[in-house]
Amino acid sequence: MFKKIAIFGVGLIGGSFALALKKAGAVERIVGVGRHSATLERARELGIIDAAATSVADAVSGADLVLIAAPVAQTAAVLASIAPHLQAGTIVTDAGSTKSDVVLAARAALGSKIAQFVPGHPIAGREQNGPDAALADLYVGKKVVLAPLPENTERDVAKVAAAWQQCGALIHRLSAQQHDAIFAAVSHLPHVLAYALVDDIANKPHAADLFQYAASGFRDFTRIAGSSPEMWRDISLANQGALLNELDAYLVQLTRLRGLLAAGDGPAIEAIYSNAQQARHSWISAIEAAEQQNKEGGD
Amino acid sequence: MFKKIAIFGVGLIGGSFALALKKAGAVERIVGVGRHSATLERARELGIIDAAATSVADAVSGADLVLIAAPVAQTAAVLASIAPHLQAGTIVTDAGSTKSDVVLAARAALGSKIAQFVPGHPIAGREQNGPDAALADLYVGKKVVLAPLPENTERDVAKVAAAWQQCGALIHRLSAQQHDAIFAAVSHLPHVLAYALVDDIANKPHAADLFQYAASGFRDFTRIAGSSPEMWRDISLANQGALLNELDAYLVQLTRLRGLLAAGDGPAIEAIYSNAQQARHSWISAIEAAEQQNKEGGD
């Protein structure tokens, strides 16, 4: 049971965390911090937070747990604002989509208090944002990656894990570097590819004709290009190194496939398509089996 | 009203065409042709066709309309098999995803009878295939592109258009070249990109780790990589020229974006993402408005 949790950013991610913990009866009091008083007021109306903090000092004082769920570009500033008020016994965690840069910022901001920071990343989202999009069951069956630091105590890591588990999430552990390499491949690169395709088409002189004939395959392929440009600019830059690695590997792959297409090499093209189809099929089957298991386990 | 329609390939595309025309009361008799007698028998059981033709001559004889909805790789062979039996007054059309190559094959196969061939492409699909996947309303509100030849009479083109309109489809006209350039950009290229990404990930030594953390964005982005490898090998090769053009433009775009990422140029990256997001948003809004209009018009 948490006595007091402070949440920086009471939108989809922070708000859903709050609602889930309240639903689970796992927290006594939640205070919210944010740049917009209207958003905090809305979060209070929705029962996400019990009160808006009057200051960072007020928010952090006496908190068991602080969750930073503000836009990633603000993480360093939020950490710096917290640092002077951070008491022993308070654990800080975050929900950012990249981890190496957050760890760097946390070391710079928290200094000798770095052991109190347990980096995290819940793998959940919706197209909507803000407190009104928050859902008590957003994290049910979803993965939360924790990327503990060598300085963290197991007890603190376990406490952060327990909070997410109360939200229904499944805990995974990776190093910050592993995390960033993995998400560069399966999340950040696909976003770059989708944005690049839509921008490419939109800039052609006959863009209107092209969009007119785009169908459901295009719609699904480009869904992630509907995501927030600011957020994905920040993620792209925050994970620059790993993303460049993946992008370069993909450019090699695409250039190879271009060569096969130019050569009219049907069997080699089919081998690539077929390997992809089979890999995706196995992946979907594994997901569906896991979902089924979670459902049965939850009943 | 059609007296007799012959359909080569009684799966999703051909079967849905048959069911829709029967539902509309627009045809007296439909005969099916295919390589597998079990499939034809199943189509007969499902009421898709009235009979399986005993030969191509039998199928084509006395038909008002012949639809070629067999896998695209068979189109040339089907056209060649039809040619000797093709009577004046019979119109032939097809449902292939590429058009320039089909026109070339039709000219070679039909020779002086080329005026009887009206190339077509219904923009509709499902993940399932075969006669059991056929739906009477598959084409309702969907686009069908006709790519008439200079030799076609307006009356014949109008007849093919009327058949698709009876299925509920909206008729568009493009030249074969326009068609192939457009679909290279909005359909064929996205398939290549999705196959390439999944194959790239599947071939990495830590593929299992990567797939484990892939989430809903990846799932939608790669849905089209679940499509038939044989079919997409054939489409890629059939539309090789236009697809290479689009792939090259995309490689230029991606290389430029790579440069911006390496330079850490946040504003330029955000401009691309933002342009893509806005273009996609406008496109989705236009689709939804059109769907709404179709719905109201259909009530």
Side-chain angles (χ1 to χ4, degrees):
Chain A
M1 176 62 124
F2 294 92
K3 284 197 181 155
K4 178 181 172 186
I5 293 180
I7 300 182
F8 286 72
V10 292
L12 172 68
I13 296 299
S16 296
F17 181 74
L19 288 176
L21 289 177
K22 290 200 161 201
K23 193 177 168 188
V27 58
E28 275 177 30
R29 180 174 165 78
I30 297 182
V31 298
V33 192
R35 291 180 300 174
H36 307 291
S37 57
T39 306
L40 289 168
E41 178 51 27
R42 181 67 185 143
R44 211 188 48 75
E45 279 170 21
L46 292 166
I48 290 172
I49 58 174
D50 298 295
T54 53
S55 67
V56 171
D58 170 43
V60 173
S61 170
D64 308 298
L65 183 66
V66 175
L67 171 69
I68 303 172
V72 282
Q74 296 172 34
T75 305
V78 170
L79 282 162
S81 74
I82 289 171
H85 311 291
L86 193 58
Q87 298 158 338
T90 300
I91 309 170
V92 182
T93 188
D94 80 313
S97 304
T98 55
K99 296 272 68 75
S100 303
D101 66 312
V102 168
V103 170
L104 219 62
R107 289 194 184 282
L110 301 180
S112 62
K113 296 177 181 173
I114 188 65
Q116 290 171 251
F117 180 67
V118 180
H121 176 204
I123 317 302
R126 299 179 68 200
E127 305 226 358
Q128 295 89 337
N129 267 305
D132 285 279
L135 298 171
D137 63 355
L138 181 70
Y139 301 114
V140 174
K142 297 297 193 305
K143 293 186 181 71
V144 170
V145 176
L146 297 182
L149 303 174
E151 292 89 342
N152 292 149
T153 64
E154 264 308 313
R155 195 198 53 219
D156 285 356
V157 177
K159 252 192 183 167
V160 175
W164 286 112
Q165 281 165 332
Q166 297 268 21
C167 300
L170 310 167
I171 306 300
H172 289 242
R173 283 196 189 198
L174 295 170
S175 72
Q177 201 186 347
Q178 284 172 327
H179 171 281
D180 288 355
I182 288 172
F183 287 89
V186 300
S187 170
H188 309 168
L189 177 62
H191 277 79
V192 169
L193 300 181
Y195 279 127
L197 181 70
V198 181
D199 178 65
D200 189 32
I201 290 179
N203 288 339
K204 291 185 197 255
H206 58 309
D209 276 349
L210 295 174
F211 280 121
Q212 194 187 353
Y213 293 100
S216 64
F218 185 85
R219 188 171 184 158
D220 284 352
F221 183 84
T222 61
R223 184 176 68 76
I224 49 183
S227 310
S228 157
E230 299 78 17
M231 177 177 157
W232 282 94
R233 172 203 63 200
D234 292 341
I235 291 174
S236 300
L237 294 174
N239 202 19
Q240 188 191 39
L243 181 52
L244 280 173
N245 283 345
E246 291 304 325
L247 188 49
D248 286 343
Y250 187 77
L251 281 165
V252 168
Q253 160 85 340
L254 208 54
T255 304
R256 184 171 74 96
L257 186 46
R258 191 224 176 270
L260 298 175
L261 182 61
D265 189 341
I269 292 170
E270 185 184 347
I272 290 174
Y273 292 0
S274 186
N275 185 46
Q277 189 215 29
Q278 283 166 30
R280 188 174 187 281
H281 182 77
S282 305
W283 172 62
I284 294 282
S285 301
I287 289 177
E288 285 172 355
E291 281 173 354
Q292 194 53 37
Q293 210 169 23
N294 285 343
K295 208 175 282 173
E296 284 164 8
D299 286 346
Chain B
M1 173 63 123
F2 293 92
K3 284 196 180 153
K4 179 181 172 186
I5 293 180
I7 300 182
F8 286 71
V10 292
L12 172 67
I13 297 299
S16 297
F17 181 74
L19 288 176
L21 290 177
K22 291 200 160 202
K23 192 176 169 190
V27 59
E28 275 176 28
R29 180 174 165 78
I30 297 182
V31 298
V33 192
R35 291 179 301 175
H36 306 292
S37 56
T39 306
L40 289 168
E41 178 50 26
R42 182 66 186 144
R44 213 187 47 73
E45 279 171 20
L46 292 166
I48 290 172
I49 57 174
D50 298 295
T54 53
S55 68
V56 172
D58 171 43
V60 174
S61 170
D64 308 299
L65 183 66
V66 175
L67 172 69
I68 303 173
V72 283
Q74 294 170 34
T75 305
V78 170
L79 283 162
S81 74
I82 289 171
H85 311 291
L86 193 59
Q87 297 156 341
T90 300
I91 309 169
V92 182
T93 187
D94 79 312
S97 304
T98 54
K99 295 273 68 72
S100 303
D101 66 313
V102 167
V103 170
L104 220 61
R107 289 194 183 282
L110 301 180
S112 62
K113 295 178 181 172
I114 188 64
Q116 291 171 251
F117 181 68
V118 180
H121 176 203
I123 317 303
R126 298 178 68 200
E127 307 228 354
Q128 295 89 339
N129 267 303
D132 285 280
L135 298 171
D137 63 354
L138 182 69
Y139 301 115
V140 174
K142 297 298 193 306
K143 293 185 181 72
V144 169
V145 177
L146 297 183
L149 303 174
E151 292 89 344
N152 292 149
T153 63
E154 264 308 314
R155 195 199 52 219
D156 284 357
V157 176
K159 253 192 182 166
V160 174
W164 284 113
Q165 281 165 332
Q166 296 268 21
C167 300
L170 309 168
I171 306 300
H172 289 242
R173 283 195 190 200
L174 295 169
S175 72
Q177 202 187 345
Q178 284 173 326
H179 170 280
D180 289 354
I182 288 171
F183 286 90
V186 299
S187 170
H188 309 169
L189 177 63
H191 277 80
V192 168
L193 300 180
Y195 278 128
L197 180 70
V198 181
D199 178 65
D200 188 32
I201 289 178
N203 288 339
K204 289 183 199 257
H206 57 309
D209 276 349
L210 295 174
F211 280 120
Q212 193 187 355
Y213 293 100
S216 64
F218 185 85
R219 188 172 183 157
D220 284 351
F221 183 84
T222 61
R223 184 176 67 76
I224 49 183
S227 310
S228 156
E230 300 78 17
M231 177 176 156
W232 282 93
R233 172 203 63 200
D234 292 341
I235 291 174
S236 301
L237 294 174
N239 202 20
Q240 188 192 39
L243 182 53
L244 281 172
N245 283 345
E246 291 304 324
L247 189 48
D248 286 343
Y250 187 76
L251 281 165
V252 168
Q253 160 84 341
L254 208 54
T255 303
R256 184 171 73 95
L257 187 46
R258 191 223 176 271
L260 298 174
L261 183 61
D265 188 342
I269 292 170
E270 186 184 346
I272 290 175
Y273 292 1
S274 185
N275 185 46
Q277 188 215 30
Q278 284 166 29
R280 188 175 187 280
H281 182 76
S282 304
W283 171 62
I284 294 282
S285 301
I287 290 178
E288 285 172 355
E291 281 173 354
Q292 194 53 36
Q293 210 169 23
N294 284 342
K295 209 175 282 175
E296 285 164 8
D299 286 345

